[in-house]
Amino acid sequence: MLKNIEVFYFPETVKDAVRLLNRHAPHAAVIAGGTLITKSPNLSTRVLVDIRGIDMDYVKVQAGRLRIGARTSFQSLADSKLLQKWAGGALSRAAAAVTTHLIRNAGTIGGDVARALPYNDMPPVLMALDAEAVIVDGKKTRTLPVEEMVRGHMWRIVGRRALLTEFRLPSETRKRACAIARFARSASDWEAMVHAVASMEKSRGICRNARIVLGAVTRHAQRFPQAEAVLEGKPYSESLAAEAAQAVFDGLTPVSRASAEYRREVASVLVRRAIREVWNENETQQ
Ligand SMILES: Cc1cc2nc3c(=O)[nH]c(=O)nc-3n(C[C@H](O)[C@H](O)[C@H](O)COP(=O)(O)OP(=O)(O)OC[C@H]3O[C@@H](n4cnc5c(N)ncnc54)[C@H](O)[C@@H]3O)c2cc1C
């Protein structure tokens, strides 16, 4: 709970929001949909900068690249006709699977990545599609891979001194096939035990630019280059998928919330399932 709030600001531009954050640092925080921060026990937060008045709610293509505003809600992502066609609609499907209507309507993609908990749904899919995050702080605007953002130190300043404004996906990811396999204690449990995403180009039966990402098993969503290398440039087969899954099994050191052995086993099963789905169920995109 945010018990000590003294001031609420409603800036209308990115510049004003960043200025307010820095003026009140370290006691200021960004609030977007409010679904996560309202549960935050951070009692030092005294100033909230509400970004709902800033134009960061869009999904569009510019110069071939996909651009998603950080304040776009899960429901808007799920409903976007553009996203439903990009990479087989993976981002749209991931957003539609977010547990409840209330959370889908209020929660934003920016909030999901800014405080990327291990089991948040959007970071693994964004990483599998080579997404970059645009971050504006008091001094400069930087663009960095989502992968780097979730495992690096940016979380220390994002939402406190800096604003995440946009995600950008390269044009070549439009035609990638992408499958998501998720395992949780129950369908309504949003804290997945294991979350596997596979994406790749299917070029005349050959796997190209494969990405294998796991969420919920390590501290941050993580790519598995060893498994990607197994697939790269090879014709798809069940045994190739099994080999890639074995590479995940061998390379994974899961954090707690179930035995490491169990999670390693489930992760490799889900990776194999996601790769198979890319090849079998997305045939139309070939
Ligand atoms: C009951 C429940 C169910 C949930 N189900 C799911 C689920 O199925 N899948 C899932 O992934 N998540 C789920 N969540 C978690 C949460 O709803 C999401 O992570 C959501 O995307 C958070 O976005 P928000 O806009 O509400 O963020 P907020 O709560 O407003 O902010 C979260 C954090 O991000 C920072 N922040 C937000 N936007 C920005 C920005 N643009 N720039 C910089 N910092 C920013 C804030 O300062 C804060 O630290 C659930 C949460 C609850 C309570």
Side-chain angles (χ1 to χ4, degrees):
M1 274 297 172
L2 289 158
K3 292 183 180 151
N4 299 331
I5 302 305
E6 294 164 3
V7 192
F8 228 106
Y9 287 107
F10 295 89
E12 291 181 358
T13 64
V14 169
K15 196 173 165 198
D16 282 350
V18 172
R19 188 175 46 78
L20 287 165
L21 286 172
N22 283 283
R23 188 202 295 165
H24 295 283
H27 301 294
V30 171
I31 182 167
T35 60
L36 209 53
I37 197 172
T38 45
K39 287 161 57 106
S40 159
N42 192 339
L43 298 178
S44 74
T45 304
R46 293 205 285 271
V47 174
L48 283 180
V49 177
D50 189 321
I51 57 172
R52 87 184 79 164
I54 305 177
D55 177 23
M56 296 195 300
D57 176 359
Y58 53 81
V59 179
K60 59 189 173 192
V61 173
Q62 204 168 35
R65 274 192 310 197
L66 184 71
R67 298 176 56 187
I68 304 173
R71 209 177 51 75
T72 310
S73 71
F74 290 123
Q75 194 59 51
S76 299
L77 298 175
D79 292 342
S80 162
K81 296 279 178 265
L82 193 51
L83 268 197
Q84 286 166 8
K85 290 190 188 129
W86 199 282
L91 278 164
S92 179
R93 279 184 278 126
V98 166
T99 42
T100 68
H101 271 299
L102 282 175
I103 298 294
R104 285 200 295 277
N105 284 336
T108 64
I109 187 169
D112 211 48
V113 176
R115 280 292 161 274
L117 300 172
Y119 34 77
N120 279 9
D121 284 315
M122 304 316 285
V125 191
L126 287 166
M127 284 164 59
L129 297 175
D130 301 344
E132 292 181 322
V134 180
I135 294 159
V136 181
D137 67 18
K139 300 184 190 97
K140 58 182 175 190
T141 298
R142 49 189 132 184
T143 305
L144 72 167
V146 168
E147 183 186 5
E148 215 172 287
M149 201 200 132
V150 298
R151 76 173 145 76
H153 298 291
M154 287 310 289
W155 62 269
R156 288 182 207 275
I157 63 160
V158 170
R160 288 273 161 191
R161 288 177 181 272
L163 198 61
L164 178 51
T165 59
E166 185 175 273
F167 298 96
R168 294 179 183 163
L169 276 69
S171 58
E172 57 272 20
T173 60
R174 180 197 283 262
K175 292 284 174 206
R176 264 194 214 161
C178 184
I180 303 164
R182 195 175 179 279
F183 177 75
R185 289 186 189 89
S186 70
S188 60
D189 185 359
W190 72 276
E191 298 179 9
M193 300 274 287
V194 182
H195 189 174
V197 183
S199 93
M200 67 198 80
E201 280 149 37
K202 302 192 293 180
S203 173
R204 298 197 185 107
I206 305 289
C207 307
R208 300 261 181 232
N209 292 318
R211 304 282 183 266
I212 302 294
V213 186
L214 283 175
V217 271
T218 47
R219 209 160 146 239
H220 308 292
Q222 191 185 330
R223 255 179 79 178
F224 278 80
Q226 313 91 312
E228 295 168 1
V230 167
L231 298 166
E232 197 55 45
K234 311 242 180 65
Y236 170 76
S237 67
E238 274 290 311
S239 60
L240 186 73
E243 207 185 314
Q246 183 64 41
V248 167
F249 185 92
D250 295 340
L252 181 63
T253 311
V255 290
S256 57
R257 284 179 67 226
S259 77
E261 199 60 19
Y262 174 72
R263 286 173 154 233
R264 216 179 274 132
E265 182 65 36
V266 174
S268 65
V269 168
L270 292 194
V271 164
R272 199 168 63 227
R273 209 175 274 174
I275 296 170
R276 188 189 295 147
E277 192 185 320
V278 159
W279 281 91
N280 296 340
E281 296 189 10
N282 296 354
E283 276 311 306
T284 49
Q285 292 164 48
Q286 202 165 4

